[in-house]
Amino acid sequence: MKDTPTAQVDELYSPQRMIAFGLQHVLVMAASPIAAVFLMSKALGFDTALTTELLSATFLVCGIGTLIQSFGPAGIGAKLPFVMLPGGAPIILFILIAQQTDLPTASGAVILSALLYFLIVPIFKRFLRYFPSLVIGIMLLLVAINLAQISGKLIAGTPGTANFGNTDNLLLALITIASTVLFARLLKGMCRQLAILLGLMVGALSAALMGDISLNGVGSGSLLALPSPFPFGPPKFDLIAALPLLLFTLISMVEATGQTIALNEVLGKEGEAEQQAQVPNTIRGDGLASLLGGIFGTSLIITSGENIGIIRATQVRSRYVTAVGGLFLILFGVFSPLSALISVIPASVIGATGLVVFAIVGTMGIDMLRKVDLRGHAAMYVVATALAVGLLPIVVPGIYDQLPSQLRLLLSNGVAMGALTAAVLNYLFIHVGQRSHKTAPLQHS
């Protein structure tokens, strides 16, 4: 029993392994909080001191959120190996609210959205039966494609800019991916499980040898960075201004559902009821972490899909490993030189590592869809239509820009739209069909 995947979620490793595996989680995903804060800083004109404070706060809240999900105190958190990160869409919405009103109103919107998680959970969990493997498989596939697109931009840069497709960046990405694959193929035991981290380190070392890493400024400034609550002043609560983030909260619940079920699939839990049982706890954990995010000046802090890819690749399923990762995130938040050191790793190296991890998430989606008979009329149309709806805003960015802002917010999220379309069509094609079949009168020949 001890060696089953389900039991491994509570497994304790030696301190050396815990540190190495926890650090692997954090370094693979470190680009997310850094990019989120730098995007906010650039868009809202923060000075260096405020940017540094917000970076520290984001790492700190992500670390606390990861501990909450890993340990799940009082039903808040799933007791699963999740790592928490700032969501890309919530950061954009935070910026838009701040630009349209002010920063205290944006922080208030985050706090209101965090509280909505707790209010909606009792209602939302009634609908979990409409998210079977068919729906979650589609969602994971769309998550992988969406995140792979983001990683591709980290590698190649933004189309139309002078640095787009820079050969040094492409070479670093190739070295990182090739090293990861070689380590996964040639190494054994613990070293094989650390293939992703080792590949990232080879990529970073190659960047240093090519002169693409500068350590200037890493040791400057104060040693400790202790963020203070409400850096923009007392929050203001405006329901109308907060509406975009409140709507995204509902989308985030759908994503949290998919991630929880997918992670339970990796952990070897069988049966949809058992896989779905921890979804409300995951959502409440997202809510508490997001509440802390609003207090410390960032946006919603949510579970990360890329974390699932790392677990699938390494087969290290222990929630105590992600708890160690949470402690690392807290250290990065408290000790400013550590976060500065991580930020010097080139985006192309982080992007290449992410590309491998996100593709693994995609294979999980494909694996879940394999359990569905796609030769059947109903399943074929559910999958085809959901992928069409979900892929459109991913492969054609900006397609909905001419629509009203609230409608654009919903339709532009390909992952959410694909999952919702799949859930609705699954209900119409399968649940309604079954009900009609059961209640139809018998035909006598």
Side-chain angles (χ1 to χ4, degrees):
M1 178 69 181
K2 183 179 179 180
D3 294 331
T4 63
T6 305
Q8 289 173 12
V9 73
D10 294 320
E11 187 173 358
L12 285 169
Y13 297 97
S14 66
Q16 298 92 329
R17 285 174 175 253
M18 298 280 278
I19 290 172
F21 292 144
L23 186 61
Q24 178 170 244
H25 275 281
V26 171
L27 290 181
V28 170
M29 295 179 285
S32 182
I34 294 171
V37 173
F38 286 174
L39 180 61
M40 287 175 58
S41 176
K42 183 177 179 180
L44 300 174
F46 297 156
D47 58 28
T48 302
L50 181 55
T51 301
T52 302
E53 181 180 347
L54 289 178
L55 181 59
S56 171
T58 303
F59 274 121
L60 180 64
V61 174
C62 288
I64 295 173
T66 299
L67 292 176
I68 290 171
Q69 291 289 9
S70 298
F71 292 118
I76 302 177
K79 292 185 179 179
L80 292 175
F82 274 124
V83 173
M84 304 287 280
L85 293 174
I91 289 294
I92 298 296
L93 295 175
F94 180 94
I95 291 170
L96 290 176
I97 294 170
Q99 290 173 336
Q100 293 169 0
T101 55
D102 53 29
L103 285 164
T105 302
S107 291
V110 176
I111 293 172
L112 289 173
S113 300
L115 295 176
L116 185 63
Y117 280 109
F118 291 93
L119 294 175
I120 295 295
V121 160
I123 301 172
F124 182 79
K125 67 182 182 181
R126 298 172 183 264
F127 295 91
L128 291 178
R129 64 192 182 99
Y130 299 118
F131 292 88
S133 297
L134 173 65
V135 177
I136 302 307
I138 292 170
M139 181 177 170
L140 288 178
L141 197 54
L142 291 171
V143 165
I145 295 169
N146 187 51
L147 292 177
Q149 181 195 52
I150 295 171
S151 287
K153 290 180 179 178
L154 288 176
I155 294 170
T158 305
T161 61
N163 203 40
F164 179 67
N166 180 280
T167 54
D168 281 358
N169 292 338
L170 297 178
L171 179 59
L172 285 173
L174 178 61
I175 291 172
T176 303
I177 293 173
S179 300
T180 301
V181 173
L182 284 173
F183 288 137
R185 173 65 182 86
L186 300 177
L187 299 181
K188 303 293 183 181
M190 176 182 171
C191 291
R192 172 182 285 183
Q193 293 174 310
L194 291 171
I196 294 173
L197 175 61
L198 295 174
L200 186 147
M201 293 174 64
V202 169
L205 178 60
S206 300
L209 294 174
M210 293 166 61
D212 289 337
I213 288 183
S214 173
L215 298 179
N216 293 334
V218 169
S220 62
S222 60
L223 177 63
L224 294 177
L226 299 176
S228 56
F230 305 117
F232 311 125
K236 299 178 183 178
F237 301 104
D238 184 332
L239 283 175
I240 302 301
L243 190 58
L245 266 177
L246 293 172
L247 289 173
F248 180 83
T249 299
L250 303 178
I251 296 172
S252 176
M253 289 182 180
V254 175
E255 294 181 350
T257 300
Q259 290 165 359
T260 304
I261 293 174
L263 188 52
N264 275 315
E265 182 90 5
V266 175
L267 297 175
K269 291 189 178 180
E270 298 179 356
E272 290 176 356
E274 186 180 4
Q275 292 175 348
Q276 294 170 353
Q278 291 158 303
V279 170
N281 294 347
T282 301
I283 293 174
R284 282 189 284 264
D286 283 6
L288 182 54
S290 296
L291 179 62
L292 293 174
I295 290 172
F296 284 98
T298 187
S299 192
L300 302 181
I301 305 296
I302 54 181
T303 50
S304 62
E306 52 263 55
N307 175 66
I308 302 170
I310 298 173
I311 293 170
R312 181 62 174 265
T314 63
Q315 298 300 307
V316 177
R317 302 176 173 94
S318 173
R319 60 192 175 101
Y320 296 108
V321 167
T322 52
V324 171
L327 294 177
F328 270 117
L329 286 167
I330 291 172
L331 285 176
F332 293 156
V334 173
F335 294 98
S336 52
L338 292 178
S339 57
L341 185 61
I342 290 178
S343 66
V344 304
I345 300 175
S348 57
V349 174
I350 296 290
T353 301
L355 199 59
V356 175
V357 172
F358 302 152
I360 291 171
V361 174
T363 66
M364 294 170 59
I366 294 170
D367 188 50
M368 294 186 79
L369 288 175
R370 281 195 315 113
K371 301 174 183 178
V372 180
D373 184 4
L374 296 180
R375 295 169 297 180
H377 174 83
M380 178 183 69
Y381 271 97
V382 171
V383 173
T385 307
L387 286 178
V389 172
L391 285 173
L392 193 59
I394 295 174
V395 299
V396 189
I399 189 172
Y400 299 122
D401 282 356
Q402 300 301 318
L403 297 179
S405 58
Q406 305 303 331
L407 187 59
R408 183 175 69 243
L409 165 69
L410 178 62
L411 294 177
S412 295
N413 190 316
V415 175
M417 284 306 302
L420 290 173
T421 300
V424 171
L425 292 181
N426 179 68
Y427 174 77
L428 293 176
F429 273 83
I430 298 174
H431 288 271
V432 172
Q434 288 178 346
R435 186 181 304 163
S436 300
H437 177 72
K438 289 177 182 178
T439 56
L442 294 175
Q443 298 291 328
H444 298 283
S445 56

